[in-house]
Amino acid sequence: MRILRRVVAVVAVLVLVVIAAFTGVYLWQQPILLTGTGYAAHNACAVTEVAGRDDPATDLPPNPLVPYLRVDGSGDPTAASLLGALARQKAWYAEGFGCTLAPSRPDLGAASAIDAGANPFTDAPAPTPNPALDEAMAAAFGGEDEILAGALGTRAVVIVKDGELVAERYADGFDADTRQLGWSMSKSVASLLTGVLVEQGVVSLDDDHLRPEWTDDRADITIEQLLRMTSGLEWDETYDLGTPITRMLYLEPNMGDYVASLPLVHEPGSVQLYSSGSTTLLCDILTERTGVGADLPRQELLGPLGLTSAVLEPDASGTPVCSSYVWATPRDWVAIGQFALQNGEWNGEQLLPRDWMLQSLTVTDVAETDDPGYGMGWRTNTMPDGTLRWPELPADTYYAAGHDGQKMLIVPSEQLVVLRMGFTPEASEEDSVVQLVADAIAALG
């Protein structure tokens, strides 16, 4: 009996040690795990509630946590956890605002109604078939090569010439009414939103002292530097568990406050460091200046353009996540591109400063950059040294780009907007998109 008691005591101690070790490791790794479950919860909520699809798992990139993720509910809320119990995160759906990660339902106010009448592409008839364009679009989907088609994961191609819808094609399970996530194409939308507010006199590019707690050198950061990614704030854009970008998107209830808390590692204006944090902080400042909150993009940009499908999802504090979270149908995305092509004129009204796109496409000189050719939310084909990023395309080509292969190329000399949407986490879509634009120019020339 004495031996049995000793064995039981040893086993009990071992169990306690294992529990303590597991608890310690879990608490140590919990922030990293929460970024994984936050991604899953937000993705499942948005794909089902915003995009209206029933296959959110197909939008999860390869990740070691994926086999252990459990997702429950749909929008009210959608919850994700590890093994059904650990690192639980919730995403809440609100009409007009999409999905937001928060422990409880955030109060975002009412979403402004949007009238489709301002958008010529919403109810435009299906384009007349054009064999050359059809062939070009087929190649962008991978053609007859099933392996290439699977790797590219193209979901939509839409082409606009001279303001007219001339071609569109969608993957199985997608159509003209399916909202798709632009990821960092949202930064180009944020640039346009900023331009609208500059035109109205609400902000100016050289505004500084943007946060009251910035009493150090961060007070010198300007609106323009946030747009150009030259703020000097510390950042790491690597999409991995626990990095600043995934922490901001999936762990922080107030993303603007998080980014604003980061230290300055470069003199403002001296180094260009690609940063989703800069753009999200910018929209936090814009919502504070206007006092409008989550509805700001709908009131000042999405509404005037008639983008009835467009949704810019906010964080739990009501700040629109302008770096990453614009959802829209492909036709609404090309309307955004057409608005930029028209230099901010829409239905006879000048919504942007007349030189806004010129400024946006002017690349400033910096001592160091990790993204040559990045202006104010848009990238240029003509690089700072005069060479062309894509020699196959006209020098005046510029574009918006997003995670997993989202691209919208605009060619002013051809009056052309070409949109490609897809899910391409493990391949490169770039060559196929460049070829698509080159083929479109040839077909429409």
Side-chain angles (χ1 to χ4, degrees):
M1 184 62 71
R2 184 176 300 170
I3 294 175
L4 179 60
R5 283 198 296 268
R6 288 178 179 173
V7 171
V8 170
V10 169
V11 170
V13 170
L14 288 174
V15 169
L16 290 173
V17 169
V18 170
I19 292 173
F22 176 81
T23 302
V25 170
Y26 172 68
L27 292 175
W28 172 46
Q29 294 292 332
Q30 188 181 37
I32 294 176
L33 300 178
L34 284 168
T35 61
T37 54
Y39 190 116
H42 179 267
N43 173 76
C45 177
V47 168
T48 55
E49 299 297 321
V50 179
R53 294 165 38 210
D54 60 4
D55 56 351
T58 61
D59 282 25
L60 287 176
N63 185 289
L65 292 181
V66 169
Y68 308 103
L69 291 170
R70 301 291 182 269
V71 177
D72 305 300
S74 179
D76 279 327
T78 301
S81 63
L82 291 172
L83 303 174
L86 303 176
R88 195 171 184 83
Q89 288 257 52
K90 294 179 181 179
W92 305 81
Y93 174 73
E95 186 68 30
F97 296 129
C99 294
T100 296
L101 285 174
S104 58
R105 182 180 296 281
D107 181 7
L108 303 174
S112 295
I114 295 178
D115 182 358
N119 184 358
F121 304 118
T122 302
D123 297 318
T128 303
N130 178 315
L133 287 179
D134 291 345
E135 183 178 349
M137 291 191 296
F141 276 80
E144 300 297 324
D145 188 333
E146 292 185 3
I147 294 177
L148 176 60
L152 286 175
T154 305
R155 292 175 169 178
V157 168
V158 181
I159 301 175
V160 169
K161 170 74 171 179
D162 296 325
E164 299 291 333
L165 187 68
V166 296
E168 61 182 341
R169 174 172 169 167
Y170 302 96
D172 291 344
F174 295 81
D175 59 30
D177 296 321
T178 306
R179 291 182 176 105
Q180 298 195 44
L181 177 60
W183 285 110
S184 285
M185 289 204 303
S186 306
K187 295 179 175 68
S188 303
V189 177
S191 175
L192 298 175
L193 174 62
T194 306
V196 169
L197 296 178
V198 169
E199 175 67 7
Q200 295 175 3
V202 176
V203 296
S204 66
L205 285 174
D206 58 0
D207 283 352
D208 57 15
H209 289 77
L210 302 176
R211 299 275 300 198
E213 73 274 25
W214 283 356
T215 57
D216 52 13
D217 289 344
R218 291 176 298 181
D220 295 332
I221 296 171
T222 66
I223 293 287
E224 182 171 358
Q225 288 163 355
L226 290 175
L227 276 168
R228 293 188 179 279
M229 313 290 188
T230 59
S231 69
L233 292 172
E234 181 180 74
W235 192 255
D236 181 356
E237 190 73 13
T238 306
Y239 274 82
D240 202 356
L241 297 175
T243 57
I245 175 59
T246 56
R247 174 176 174 178
M248 181 188 78
L249 291 177
Y250 307 115
L251 198 59
E252 295 292 335
N254 189 317
M255 299 185 194
D257 281 358
Y258 167 65
V259 179
S261 73
L262 297 173
L264 203 65
V265 293
H266 300 288
E267 179 185 353
S270 64
V271 172
Q272 186 176 59
L273 178 65
Y274 185 79
S275 166
S276 291
S278 289
T279 313
T280 298
L281 175 56
L282 169 66
C283 275
D284 178 83
I285 291 164
L286 297 181
T287 56
E288 186 274 329
R289 289 286 182 92
T290 60
V292 175
D295 200 44
L296 177 64
R298 298 180 70 85
Q299 290 187 23
E300 301 298 345
L301 181 65
L302 309 181
L305 297 187
L307 307 183
T308 54
S309 76
V311 170
L312 207 175
E313 296 175 304
D315 67 11
S317 74
T319 294
V321 186
C322 291
S323 65
S324 314
Y325 281 169
V326 175
W327 291 79
T329 62
R331 287 188 174 198
D332 275 358
W333 274 113
V334 294
I336 292 168
Q338 186 66 28
F339 177 62
L341 177 60
Q342 294 174 186
N343 291 310
E345 183 275 327
W346 200 249
N347 293 325
E349 185 177 359
Q350 188 65 38
L351 301 178
L352 297 178
R354 293 187 183 277
D355 63 348
W356 185 259
M357 291 309 302
L358 176 62
Q359 291 185 74
S360 297
L361 300 174
T362 300
V363 178
T364 56
D365 185 36
V366 290
E368 181 182 342
T369 179
D370 63 352
D371 199 344
Y374 190 90
M376 296 196 314
W378 301 86
R379 292 181 176 86
T380 62
N381 191 27
T382 301
M383 304 297 279
D385 63 2
T387 62
L388 297 184
R389 187 190 304 267
W390 301 313
E392 309 94 320
L393 301 182
D396 64 346
T397 302
Y398 63 95
Y399 69 106
H403 188 54
D404 285 340
Q406 322 316 316
K407 278 193 170 60
M408 181 163 60
L409 277 69
I410 300 168
V411 189
S413 57
E414 299 290 337
Q415 287 295 295
L416 185 68
V417 179
V418 178
L419 173 75
R420 184 270 186 190
M421 308 291 288
F423 182 67
T424 318
E426 295 187 291
S428 174
E429 80 298 330
E430 185 165 302
D431 289 346
S432 68
V433 177
V434 171
Q435 189 62 52
L436 169 65
V437 177
D439 290 344
I441 291 173
L444 295 166

